[in-house]
Amino acid sequence: MAYSLSSSVEVFSSIGTKHYSNGSIKKPNAGINFVPIALGLRFQLDKEGLNPGMMTEFPPLKKRGFWNITSYTGLKSYEIGERAYFRGGLGLNYLWELSYKYRGGIGIDWFYGAGAKDRYPDDTISFTDVNSYAVVGSWEWKLTDKLYLPIALGIYVNKAHYNQEVANFYERIGVRYRFNNNVFAGVQIKAHKAKADFFEFTLGYTIPGKVKYTVNR
């Protein structure tokens, strides 16, 4: 929030939240949470007036769908002092071009957690105890033509008992870059109720659908 005192001076304030975490690669992972609050003065030293220039010409927006095939890899520590084990999986999502800045859609995720037999040698562990499946709603916030933020909310259909999936749903946010050959790579955090499950290093491929129609701005 800002309030102008004159043409060159304004008072500003801000409030937010920040979280630091190792993504459960090693425990204990208490994390650090704090709420930064700022209050100050801002001075405009340049007296030159704003010149917005010519209006930007946007290219036609191609309305079509996209298939994203994604692999997830990472590490997770389950107990204090123990080693970290492989966590990973695959995702298949269909997204629709909503606007110049956003894509949205739905898909499925599969996750696998290694090391259950090492951590529980006396237990009888089945396939579903270490493999989980979920339906996921996906959102892409396009920062540029190539760089975007993936945001998702998933609901488990099967929650693996030994993977420490502590809620019936999970959140995901991160950053990805899509290359000219439709291959994309990135890093993101998967969490349960804002508590980190593991860092996901992603590699995937996008299959663009046929253009249904174009929109001119």
Side-chain angles (χ1 to χ4, degrees):
M1 181 174 63
Y3 180 78
S4 295
L5 301 177
S6 68
S7 60
S8 59
V9 181
E10 66 180 17
V11 179
F12 74 90
S13 64
S14 67
I15 185 170
T17 179
K18 291 189 177 182
H19 171 73
Y20 292 91
S21 169
N22 68 11
S24 290
I25 293 176
K26 187 175 181 180
K27 288 191 174 181
N29 176 32
I32 300 174
N33 297 283
F34 65 97
V35 178
I37 301 173
L39 180 64
L41 288 173
R42 184 180 290 119
F43 298 90
Q44 181 182 346
L45 302 179
D46 188 357
K47 299 298 183 179
E48 184 178 351
L50 177 64
N51 181 13
M54 297 179 62
M55 183 177 294
T56 303
E57 292 290 335
F58 289 91
L61 177 64
K62 298 178 180 179
K63 286 286 191 175
R64 60 181 174 183
F66 295 82
W67 287 100
N68 278 350
I69 304 171
T70 313
S71 63
Y72 313 118
T73 60
L75 295 172
K76 181 177 176 66
S77 176
Y78 294 89
E79 302 296 339
I80 295 175
E82 290 190 358
R83 55 168 287 193
Y85 293 91
F86 171 82
R87 282 293 299 273
L90 295 172
L92 178 64
N93 286 263
Y94 183 82
L95 295 100
W96 181 251
E97 200 83 65
L98 299 175
S99 69
Y100 286 94
K101 298 299 292 183
Y102 306 112
R103 294 190 183 108
I106 193 169
I108 55 175
D109 276 340
W110 160 64
F111 300 103
Y112 167 72
K117 290 184 178 180
D118 293 339
R119 294 182 286 121
Y120 300 95
D122 298 328
D123 290 7
T124 300
I125 299 172
S126 67
F127 181 86
T128 56
D129 288 333
V130 293
N131 289 272
S132 55
Y133 311 93
V135 176
V136 57
S138 299
W139 189 266
E140 289 183 0
W141 179 12
K142 297 181 286 183
L143 304 179
T144 69
D145 287 342
K146 305 294 183 183
L147 187 67
Y148 62 99
L149 302 183
I151 303 169
L153 177 65
I155 300 175
Y156 289 108
V157 177
N158 175 71
K159 189 168 59 173
H161 174 66
Y162 291 94
N163 287 358
Q164 287 189 357
E165 291 158 342
V166 297
N168 293 323
F169 61 92
Y170 59 91
E171 313 91 47
R172 172 186 288 131
I173 188 169
V175 62
R176 292 178 185 170
Y177 185 86
R178 183 174 286 112
F179 300 92
N180 290 332
N181 58 359
N182 287 329
V183 172
F184 61 84
V187 62
Q188 57 209 21
I189 187 74
K190 175 175 176 273
H192 298 111
K193 297 180 180 180
K195 183 178 180 181
D197 184 21
F198 73 104
F199 274 118
E200 299 174 325
F201 296 92
T202 64
L203 182 66
Y205 187 78
T206 296
I207 304 174
K210 293 182 179 180
V211 177
K212 302 297 184 181
Y213 58 92
T214 59
V215 178
N216 294 306
R217 180 170 176 177

